[in-house]
Amino acid sequence: MSELTLSTYKSLLRSLVRSAKHNKIQQLQQDTKKQIALLTYNRIQLVRQQQEKGLDAMARSKVLKQLSAVGKKIEILKTKDPLKSKELLFYSHSKHLKDIVLSLKDDPRSLQHLKDIAAFVVNQSEYEQLIERYNPGLKMSQEEKVQKTANKVGLQVPE
Amino acid sequence: MLRLSRPFRLVSPTVLSRVRCYAQASPLGVDHSIENNLQTETNRLSKTLTKFWEQVSLEETPENVTIKLDSKPLRTPLGNPLTLPQSRKLLSVMVLNEWSNLPSLSVKPYVLPLTSLVSRCIDLEKANEDGVDPELVAKIGGNREKLTEGLLRYLDTDTLLVFSPANEYEGALRKAQDELYLPIISGVEKFLSQINKDKKEVKLQILDADLHGLRGNAQSGETREVAKQYLDSLSVWDLAIFEKTVLTTKSFICGLLLLLNKSATVTNIPELQVSMEDIARAATLETIYQVERWGEVEDTHDVDKRDVRRNIHAAAIVAFGPPTSSK
């Protein structure tokens, strides 16, 4: 790879990573939410087992151990900051992309094309962010929408 | 729960939010494709607007690359697998990127521009094969002839052929138009003359507000004929890309510039060698001067600026590379 191609490739990777960040954070947050919900369900199941009568001491201590392990996992997930995730710093298909870039001809036309791809990625993500900013309703959940609509006419949704 | 009575057509590329239509027949740039209930991934996404897959991947064979959702190939609205030739590998990575970057749960209709354009290319190609079901052609909103006819109308009122009065914006806009448009116009005239079968020189009719005042613009029959020759010479993929560019820029010439710079048919006319940013600037030149004078309107100018550029670049990404194996 010539130096010029390398620097163009690097800046393409940079814009790919940067523009994906916004969506990645949302993905990570939703993932964490899902995991927490699953673990909470596990915990409820364990608590139920624990309350069952006729459980011998061995089994009870085992359930207790599991319970504290699940509790710990939930705590860790809750304190995890998606903004600090290492996933945000990498482009996940970089090896594949690199192979393709290497197979390209080393001419100005291909270089310009890599720059155009970077420009596309940047413009697309900026466009998405602007649309989101000017249409806050897009991001809201259904409950939030109902709540805000009710508030607008002086009503409140029952808890 | 709030439901949309008619869901967004997520992957139909011809959807344009604002379409200007004049007293002519039917408006252009409107999605004429008929909604269908084929069980394809793209349709499912456009109807439910929710993420229903876990993994996106690429499957490569010696000739093709297919984008897969959870081990099933991604299919276009008309049910064709989203398969790209090996020569468009870079594009396949970008489509993969689009799908793997979707923020889950609620998918917005504007986040898949590449998938939408590629789907259009593939579906249009299938709809133009010989002996195809006329229903299929109707579903995609007309075949090649209909498309060509619609696109030719943009040459009459091309953004790059209309010049503003010299006294507007202290002459600054007209000066910029002269500098930017005139070389391109003469380059296009040269190019069209080169491909003209009759070997005659082709002239483009411009609309100068100072000379012609307020009236419509129309090209001569000969010019239209040559322009039609050019469109007929394009592969179906290039035609779909051309359509996307023309609908974005409202300019036939911009479509020509994009293909000549990105697709396989490279031109040797120096005036026609422009960057994608140049095309975007030429297409929005008047807006640039309006913003300079009156200020930028939030939620309009800033959004439109990105919209034009993302669409032009999306078309460029799909266009890049050698033509597909079909004609």
Side-chain angles (χ1 to χ4, degrees):
Chain A
M1 210 189 270
S2 76
E3 210 161 287
L4 202 57
T5 320
L6 189 70
S7 69
T8 319
Y9 168 69
K10 273 187 180 159
S11 74
L12 170 62
L13 275 189
R14 254 199 302 278
S15 34
L16 278 168
V17 169
R18 208 174 298 155
S19 58
K21 195 176 169 190
H22 188 71
N23 287 351
K24 272 261 173 66
I25 291 174
Q26 285 182 41
Q27 283 178 348
L28 285 172
Q29 278 169 343
Q30 277 154 3
D31 270 0
T32 322
K33 236 191 205 166
K34 239 192 239 168
Q35 279 174 0
I36 289 179
L38 197 72
L39 286 171
T40 317
Y41 175 74
N42 280 348
R43 185 155 71 175
I44 294 169
Q45 293 275 311
L46 285 170
V47 169
R48 262 194 211 141
Q49 261 183 44
Q50 194 199 8
Q51 281 165 351
E52 256 173 44
K53 274 173 195 153
L55 214 60
D56 60 52
M58 270 284 278
R60 195 173 294 273
S61 72
K62 204 176 153 196
V63 170
L64 268 177
K65 244 185 215 162
Q66 281 176 339
L67 206 59
S68 73
V70 169
K72 234 179 229 165
K73 266 189 206 160
I74 294 180
E75 281 312 305
I76 292 172
L77 276 180
K78 273 187 183 161
T79 51
K80 208 167 112 186
D81 187 3
L83 284 172
K84 285 194 184 124
S85 165
K86 283 203 176 112
E87 260 186 70
L88 297 176
L89 305 175
F90 299 103
Y91 176 61
S92 39
H93 311 287
S94 56
K95 181 154 188 319
H96 188 58
L97 186 65
K98 194 175 175 187
D99 290 343
I100 297 176
V101 171
L102 281 173
S103 71
L104 283 178
K105 260 190 275 167
D106 207 3
D107 61 352
R109 190 161 171 264
S110 305
L111 275 183
Q112 183 57 44
H113 190 58
L114 291 181
K115 283 182 198 154
D116 283 345
I117 294 180
F120 165 74
V121 173
V122 169
N123 276 304
Q124 176 68 25
S125 85
E126 281 179 354
Y127 178 79
E128 283 169 25
Q129 282 173 32
L130 282 177
I131 293 276
E132 245 172 53
R133 186 187 306 163
Y134 293 126
N135 305 280
L138 285 177
K139 261 196 304 192
M140 279 180 215
S141 68
Q142 187 59 16
E143 282 143 56
E144 241 177 308
K145 271 184 213 161
V146 171
Q147 209 175 16
K148 291 223 157 121
T149 317
N151 289 348
K152 211 160 219 176
V153 291
L155 296 174
Q156 271 188 339
V157 179
E159 294 278 316
Chain B
M1 200 170 139
L2 187 96
R3 286 221 177 259
L4 299 163
S5 54
R6 192 164 190 275
F8 296 106
R9 305 302 309 285
L10 195 63
V11 279
S12 277
T14 39
V15 179
L16 285 178
S17 48
R18 265 151 285 181
V19 179
R20 247 181 259 165
C21 76
Y22 295 106
Q24 277 229 24
S26 62
L28 291 167
V30 175
D31 185 6
H32 291 296
S33 59
I34 296 164
E35 217 183 310
N36 64 67
N37 288 321
L38 277 179
Q39 292 267 329
T40 72
E41 287 70 23
T42 39
N43 272 345
R44 183 167 167 195
L45 183 62
S46 87
K47 293 200 180 182
T48 61
L49 291 179
T50 48
K51 195 179 163 189
F52 53 86
W53 64 93
E54 290 292 329
Q55 281 291 322
V56 206
S57 58
L58 293 177
E59 189 191 59
E60 292 196 33
T61 64
E63 295 96 45
N64 294 318
V65 190
T66 307
I67 290 98
K68 287 185 138 188
L69 295 182
D70 290 343
S71 80
K72 274 195 256 165
L74 178 62
R75 281 176 301 160
T76 64
L78 288 189
N80 302 307
L82 214 143
T83 300
L84 298 162
Q86 277 283 355
S87 54
R88 293 183 199 260
K89 246 177 156 178
L90 211 45
L91 173 60
S92 72
V93 179
M94 294 315 293
V95 175
L96 174 77
N97 197 36
E98 234 173 42
W99 283 77
S100 55
N101 269 350
L102 288 180
S104 65
L105 293 179
S106 56
V107 174
K108 314 295 182 310
Y110 47 78
V111 292
L112 296 166
L114 287 176
T115 312
S116 124
L117 182 54
V118 172
S119 299
R120 171 96 177 146
C121 290
I122 293 174
D123 285 347
L124 205 62
E125 191 168 40
K126 290 278 181 257
N128 272 295
E129 278 169 4
D130 291 331
V132 80
D133 184 6
E135 209 176 298
L136 196 72
V137 178
K139 267 182 188 159
I140 202 166
N143 57 3
R144 203 176 169 130
E145 281 84 70
K146 199 171 163 207
L147 204 71
T148 308
E149 203 181 299
L151 288 171
L152 276 175
R153 279 162 58 187
Y154 279 88
L155 189 57
D156 288 335
T157 54
D158 201 300
T159 313
L160 270 58
L161 292 177
V162 181
F163 289 80
S164 77
N167 57 7
E168 261 180 22
Y169 305 98
E170 282 86 41
L173 173 58
R174 181 57 186 257
K175 200 169 150 245
Q177 283 179 334
D178 284 346
E179 271 169 24
L180 203 58
Y181 294 173
L182 288 177
I184 294 179
I185 293 171
S186 76
V188 172
E189 281 174 343
K190 258 188 233 164
F191 174 75
L192 288 178
S193 307
Q194 273 175 16
I195 62 162
N196 190 5
K197 278 184 198 140
D198 304 339
K199 304 273 173 267
K200 258 195 279 177
E201 222 171 287
V202 178
K203 280 270 162 240
L204 289 169
Q205 174 67 45
I206 62 162
L207 179 71
D208 184 340
D210 281 335
L211 291 176
H212 306 118
L214 264 181
R215 69 155 170 80
N217 194 23
Q219 302 301 335
S220 68
E222 291 149 31
T223 311
R224 284 176 71 95
E225 195 45 50
V226 183
K228 191 170 177 306
Q229 270 176 35
Y230 172 71
L231 289 184
D232 288 343
S233 73
L234 293 177
S235 70
V236 181
W237 276 64
D238 280 352
L239 188 67
I241 295 158
F242 188 87
E243 176 197 48
K244 173 83 175 174
T245 318
V246 170
L247 292 180
T248 303
T249 58
K250 312 281 177 273
S251 161
F252 189 96
I253 293 177
C254 284
L256 187 76
L257 288 176
L258 187 124
L259 282 188
L260 287 181
N261 281 286
K262 284 294 175 180
S263 192
T265 46
V266 187
T267 168
N268 49 6
I269 301 171
E271 291 99 319
L272 297 184
Q273 277 153 9
V274 293
S275 71
M276 297 303 109
E277 180 57 33
D278 291 339
I279 296 180
R281 191 178 145 76
T284 55
L285 193 59
E286 190 169 353
T287 323
I288 293 171
Y289 280 87
Q290 283 166 353
V291 169
E292 218 165 77
R293 165 69 61 91
W294 307 106
E296 189 176 89
V297 178
E298 261 185 32
D299 197 5
T300 305
H301 288 131
D302 46 356
V303 178
D304 279 352
K305 185 181 169 199
R306 269 79 174 199
D307 195 27
V308 167
R309 279 166 182 75
R310 86 191 170 102
N311 279 321
I312 290 177
H313 283 108
I317 293 174
V318 182
F320 183 73
T324 43
S325 48
S326 69
K327 47 179 170 108

